[in-house]
Amino acid sequence: MSARELITEHLDLWTGAVTHKSSAGRGRNGKIELTGIKKLRELILELAVRGKLVEQDPNDEPASVLLERIAEEKARLVKEGRIRKPRMLPEITEEEMPFELPEGWSWARLGNISQINPRNDADDEIIASFIPMPMITTSFHGEHEQEARSWREIKKGYTHFADGDIAIAKITPCFENSKAAVFRNLESGIGAGTTELHVARPYEGTLNQLFILLCLKSPRFLSNGENKMTGSAGQKRVPKDFFAGEPLPFPPLAEQNRIVEKVDELMALCDRLEQQVGDQLEAHEVLVDTLLDALISSADAAEVAKNWARIAEHFDTLFTTEASIDKLKVSTLDLAAKGRLVPFYKDEKPLKKILSFGPRNGFSPKECNHATGYKALKLGATTKGKLDLNESKNVEVDVDNSSHLWLRHGDILIQRGNASSHVGCNVMISEDHPGFIYPDLMMKIRVKEEADPRFISLYLSAPKSRQFMWKRMTGTSGTMPKISKKVVEAIPIALPDMATQQATIEKVDELMALCDQLKARLSEVGETRTYLAEAVVEQAVQ
């Protein structure tokens, strides 16, 4: 199958594989990664460096002749004293060749066809370009920004480079993200910048720098480089020997130019596909927001039923992303708290009238590395709406068995301090948990007999209650946002009779279960599409 067929016959796969990532923050949607198009870009690069993107021309001068000419040019420059004699790297063995090359191609080491990490010799007073890491992009064209500095300022303590040089970031995560550049239009033709670069300076007229850049950005090179990194976590770097010595596929110069031209064309196609998918997702989000806004603005249960019918008619096409399903969950809570799912009309009163608080907030006992039989929850135990006992730590405590700090069935835990998006989130404890206590940054409430704790937890999770708490958070810049017991006590609540509370809970549970089913199905579809995209890439490069 040709490269064009691989791409055009699987367009629905490339555009349909989308990964949704949750994102913290009030009113923010999760990030979207266009996984299929990302895989398509990887496929284009792999096809390019394996000689499968454009047809070979038997009239092209073989790469072996080009390599001989590079060796001659290098010898001439050494003889003239213009460069130092570089260390000749060994011939590439068959064991080092990961795949078969097309006719006319050769394997080459970057250290044999270019100068590695060269230095510039220039007058102190000239103006040169300074390029820190943030100015180096992940663009497939190796684009970069720059700022003018005197050479005197930047010649020491920085990496040197010049127009036409190729560079790639050597430190994590910049290397894995393929931050790389082909330097162009530098002030006075030279520059210096971040020390976290490996630089290759080709011999003039011997290769297409953008083709070498494609090799450095190819999945195989990045994966091999990541495996060869040295150093501690967060400070790992790709060694110079890998950069200079990793075998690269090297086609005839004319084919290098054709490959770069074709990659430009196909990457532009990827850009258009990304824009198209992005526009579709944005339009989808606007439609979901419009219909859900109408739903939660319904005046009564009858209007809810009418607006819900409009949504139900297009349910399968509306709730096709994690973000849209999460919005449906929030809308469900909003309707429940307003008495629109199951009708109830009662005057609002402060939550204080139906609550009893623990005598104080939790506390922070001494953590220990060994099991003591007692554990304290971490804040992560309650941030997802369900109690996660794995988010806990062993502690040494001396607390009476009757203490309010122990977790009992019906207790509601509320985060009083955390990142602002998590302040006020709560969970209801559905069963006793002997040996578990809650920490200082949580508060615990217990409801009186007239209220079902499940209904109160639901009510506290609804947008109206969360916004009430967020507006009353305290804390200055740089300090943790918090709410007080008084804030929770003041939350206005309309409390129906017990039968209506329980009917509301049942309706919410029913709709939440539906949302969870939608998410599970969505996850399966997303995984399948991603798997298929990966399979196509793997098959294409074999």
Side-chain angles (χ1 to χ4, degrees):
M1 186 178 291
S2 70
R4 180 167 294 278
E5 288 172 328
L6 275 171
I7 294 167
T8 57
E9 291 189 9
H10 295 85
L11 277 181
D12 57 335
L13 185 60
W14 308 126
T15 58
V18 178
T19 301
H20 300 265
K21 298 181 178 179
S22 60
S23 178
R26 285 179 276 154
R28 291 172 57 188
N29 295 328
K31 293 181 179 179
I32 293 175
E33 183 177 276
L34 304 183
T35 315
I37 299 176
K38 180 183 176 183
K39 289 295 176 186
L40 176 57
R41 291 188 190 276
E42 292 178 5
L43 173 63
I44 291 167
L45 289 177
E46 277 298 322
L47 293 173
V49 300
R50 290 171 183 252
K52 296 183 177 182
L53 200 58
V54 299
E55 292 183 5
Q56 280 73 48
D57 186 341
N59 296 316
D60 286 344
E61 177 186 76
S64 57
V65 176
L66 178 57
L67 290 173
E68 290 173 1
R69 194 160 65 249
I70 291 174
E72 292 170 359
E73 176 65 7
K74 180 166 55 174
R76 183 183 70 81
L77 293 173
V78 170
K79 184 176 181 180
E80 293 176 0
R82 295 171 61 182
I83 64 171
R84 292 182 180 180
K85 185 176 182 179
R87 177 171 66 95
M88 190 65 183
L89 299 175
E91 292 290 328
I92 297 170
T93 65
E94 286 192 21
E95 290 74 20
E96 292 180 278
M97 301 176 185
F99 50 83
E100 187 176 345
L101 293 178
E103 191 72 27
W105 289 43
S106 296
W107 288 102
R109 302 190 197 273
L110 195 53
N112 286 340
I113 60 175
S114 63
Q115 299 176 66
I116 303 299
N117 297 337
R119 303 290 292 177
N120 296 330
D121 184 16
D123 187 87
D124 283 354
E125 305 309 318
I126 70 167
I127 300 301
S129 293
F130 180 68
I131 304 179
M133 186 66 80
M135 290 187 177
I136 296 174
T137 71
T138 59
S139 160
F140 290 95
H141 297 98
E143 294 162 338
H144 59 84
E145 299 176 20
Q146 58 191 9
E147 57 186 56
R149 299 269 189 95
S150 71
W151 185 242
R152 182 194 304 275
E153 276 185 84
I154 59 176
K155 70 176 184 177
K156 292 182 179 179
Y158 295 106
T159 300
H160 287 196
F161 37 77
D163 278 336
D165 287 359
I166 309 156
I168 190 166
K170 62 184 178 183
I171 192 168
T172 188
C174 298
F175 174 80
E176 297 95 314
N177 295 335
S178 75
K179 275 205 163 199
V182 172
F183 293 109
R184 311 173 183 85
N185 302 317
L186 300 174
E187 298 280 351
S188 305
I190 63 169
T194 172
T195 59
E196 300 295 353
L197 291 178
H198 286 311
V199 177
R201 179 169 296 171
Y203 302 105
E204 188 174 353
T206 59
L207 53 79
N208 187 316
Q209 291 96 325
L210 289 174
F211 176 80
I212 300 300
L213 187 73
L214 298 180
C215 291
L216 301 184
K217 286 177 170 286
S218 68
R220 185 186 67 86
F221 184 87
L222 294 176
S223 177
N224 290 351
E226 188 175 353
N227 291 334
K228 295 289 177 63
M229 281 184 162
T230 60
S232 57
Q235 291 292 313
K236 287 192 166 188
R237 292 175 174 84
V238 174
K240 173 186 171 183
D241 287 348
F242 172 81
F243 176 70
E246 176 71 359
L248 300 180
F250 197 64
L253 183 56
E255 188 169 348
Q256 291 180 38
N257 296 334
R258 294 198 300 274
I259 289 171
V260 168
E261 184 178 345
K262 177 59 70 173
V263 169
D264 280 347
E265 174 191 326
L266 294 175
M267 289 301 177
L269 169 64
C270 291
D271 292 340
R272 292 195 296 273
L273 290 176
E274 280 184 342
Q275 182 65 50
Q276 174 187 326
V277 174
D279 289 346
Q280 290 171 349
L281 290 171
E282 186 176 344
H284 172 266
E285 184 178 343
V286 170
L287 178 60
V288 169
D289 287 347
T290 301
L291 293 175
L292 288 180
D293 285 346
L295 182 67
I296 61 179
S297 300
S298 303
D300 51 38
E303 193 171 341
V304 168
K306 177 182 175 182
N307 287 324
W308 179 257
R310 294 170 60 199
I311 291 175
E313 187 178 351
H314 305 287
F315 204 80
D316 290 340
T317 55
L318 284 174
F319 301 105
T320 56
T321 66
E322 285 196 12
S324 62
I325 296 170
D326 287 338
K327 287 177 180 178
L328 178 58
K329 282 188 169 186
V330 172
S331 299
T332 298
L333 292 173
D334 199 357
L335 290 169
K338 290 178 177 177
R340 301 293 187 266
L341 282 183
V342 177
F344 61 83
Y345 304 93
K346 300 197 80 163
D347 293 334
E348 290 185 337
K349 56 185 175 182
L351 198 57
K352 178 180 179 179
K353 293 186 178 296
I354 57 171
L355 298 182
S356 63
F357 275 77
R360 62 186 173 100
N361 296 324
F363 75 124
S364 300
K366 183 179 179 181
E367 183 176 0
C368 59
N369 294 323
H370 61 278
T372 62
Y374 300 106
K375 291 191 173 186
L377 298 180
K378 298 177 183 178
L379 287 175
T382 60
T383 54
K384 296 179 182 178
K386 294 180 180 178
L387 183 64
D388 183 359
L389 293 179
N390 292 320
E391 286 285 328
S392 59
K393 56 188 178 182
N394 293 314
V395 292
E396 293 179 350
V397 293
D398 183 16
V399 179
D400 184 85
N401 286 338
S402 63
S403 171
H404 77 96
L405 291 168
W406 302 119
L407 303 184
R408 308 293 188 195
H409 170 68
D411 290 345
I412 298 174
L413 293 179
I414 302 174
Q415 292 202 14
R416 68 182 190 88
N418 201 338
S420 59
S421 59
H422 292 315
V423 170
C425 68
N426 81 91
V427 296
M428 194 210 81
I429 310 302
S430 58
E431 59 183 284
D432 292 349
H433 292 290
F436 283 86
I437 61 175
Y438 63 99
D440 179 55
L441 287 172
M442 292 185 191
M443 62 179 81
K444 185 179 77 172
I445 62 175
R446 191 165 287 171
V447 300
K448 297 180 180 177
E449 291 184 357
E450 63 192 281
D452 188 314
R454 295 175 298 168
F455 181 84
I456 301 303
S457 177
L458 178 158
Y459 202 95
L460 290 171
S461 300
K464 181 180 178 181
S465 299
R466 295 299 301 279
Q467 289 162 8
F468 183 93
M469 291 184 272
W470 286 331
K471 288 178 181 178
R472 291 158 180 79
M473 288 188 296
T474 59
T476 57
S477 177
T479 63
M480 180 183 288
K482 294 179 181 177
I483 55 172
S484 66
K485 170 185 172 182
K486 288 184 177 180
V487 170
V488 177
E489 288 179 329
I491 295 173
I493 180 171
L495 188 70
D497 59 76
M498 186 62 75
T500 304
Q501 291 179 50
Q502 292 172 349
T504 301
I505 293 164
E506 289 174 7
K507 192 66 176 176
V508 169
D509 286 347
E510 176 188 332
L511 292 173
M512 291 299 181
L514 173 62
C515 290
D516 290 340
Q517 290 170 10
L518 287 171
K519 270 197 173 182
R521 192 188 313 161
L522 178 65
S523 177
E524 290 174 4
V525 170
E527 288 174 4
T528 301
R529 284 176 172 167
T530 300
Y531 172 79
L532 289 173
E534 290 172 347
V536 170
V537 172
E538 289 175 6
Q539 182 182 12
V541 298
Q542 286 178 354

